[in-house]
Amino acid sequence: MPVRILFATTTGKTEDVATRLAELIGSTANVEDVGDLDATEQLEEPGDLICCVPTWNTGADSMRSGTAWDSHVEAIPDLQLTGRSVAIVGLGDSSSYSDYFCDAMEELYTAFIQAGASLVGKVSPDGYNFSESKSVVDGMFCGLALDEDSEPDLTDDRLVQWVKQLRKEAPGMF
Ligand SMILES: Cc1cc2nc3c(=O)[nH]c(=O)nc-3n(C[C@H](O)[C@H](O)[C@H](O)COP(=O)(O)O)c2cc1C
């Protein structure tokens, strides 16, 4: 079963990252635009999930992404995702939005935990330059944080290392 790489985007960076991630994973990955989903229940269709989410709604407690993810986040906890692996990728700008870096990741992370999913792919914040992020949970980013605005040169290596991590952490994912 191919892993489903879901993205939402405003200026295209998250779609680009989702595509690069799929190229790294190979033929066992499908890329889907969350904006094309008719209903949140489509997230229950077969396949583990990698959810790619930018942060636009600076400082907000809810609807943090400012993209199509926001129209699904409240319904995700009602899904039945027990036994499914879910990983989150966040895009943000650690320089201009240092106090809110990749805040939207944690909103999705918490919603998918409530749906019973197994959340994988946490990353150490060491090596990032930011002040605060709601997506640091118990000392770890709750997914892969990427910064295509201020640190684009680091993205390829971060993606390669993370794919290796997922292969070890969730061997059945892809
Ligand atoms: C008005 C505005 C608000 C933003 N707010 C945040 C933010 O709160 N936190 C953050 O990490 N990045 C923030 N960003 C940076 C975007 O998340 C970043 O550019 C991201 O790569 C955009 O992804 P997209 O092209 O897929 O929409 C903001 C950018 C703009 C222009």
Side-chain angles (χ1 to χ4, degrees), residues 8-15 54-59 67 91-94 97 100-103 148-149:
T9 185
T10 298
T11 59
K13 289 176 182 145
T14 309
E15 179 172 12
T55 298
W56 283 89
N57 205 359
T58 309
T67 69
L91 270 81
D93 181 345
S94 59
Y97 300 93
Y100 307 97
F101 181 47
C102 288
D103 273 3
E148 284 287 86
D149 295 278

Side-chain angles (χ1 to χ4, degrees), residues 16-156:
D16 179 57
V17 160
T19 305
R20 287 154 71 186
L21 191 54
E23 283 166 4
L24 279 175
I25 292 172
S27 60
T28 52
N30 289 336
V31 179
E32 298 173 50
D33 186 336
V34 173
D36 292 338
L37 294 180
D38 296 320
T40 308
E41 287 69 26
Q42 288 174 282
L43 295 172
E44 286 179 330
E45 289 169 7
D48 291 327
L49 307 177
I50 299 178
C51 302
C52 306
V53 58
T55 298
W56 283 89
N57 205 359
T58 309
D61 283 331
S62 59
M63 308 286 195
R64 292 181 204 163
S65 178
T67 69
W69 278 116
D70 293 348
S71 57
H72 296 285
V73 75
E74 280 189 7
I76 288 172
D78 295 329
L79 301 178
Q80 299 297 328
L81 294 175
T82 305
R84 303 268 289 279
S85 294
V86 174
I88 314 286
V89 178
L91 270 81
D93 181 345
S94 59
S95 174
S96 302
Y97 300 93
S98 184
D99 288 339
Y100 307 97
F101 181 47
C102 288
D103 273 3
M105 275 203 294
E106 187 272 338
E107 200 178 14
L108 280 187
Y109 171 82
T110 299
F112 278 108
I113 286 179
Q114 289 169 348
S118 173
L119 273 290
V120 295
K122 293 174 191 168
V123 166
S124 168
D126 294 350
Y128 291 85
N129 293 304
F130 67 101
S131 297
E132 286 188 44
S133 174
K134 292 183 178 71
S135 297
V136 175
V137 179
D138 296 331
M140 295 285 279
F141 276 121
C142 58
L144 175 65
L146 296 174
D147 184 345
E148 284 287 86
D149 295 278
S150 305
E151 298 180 330
D153 294 350
L154 300 181
T155 298
D156 278 336

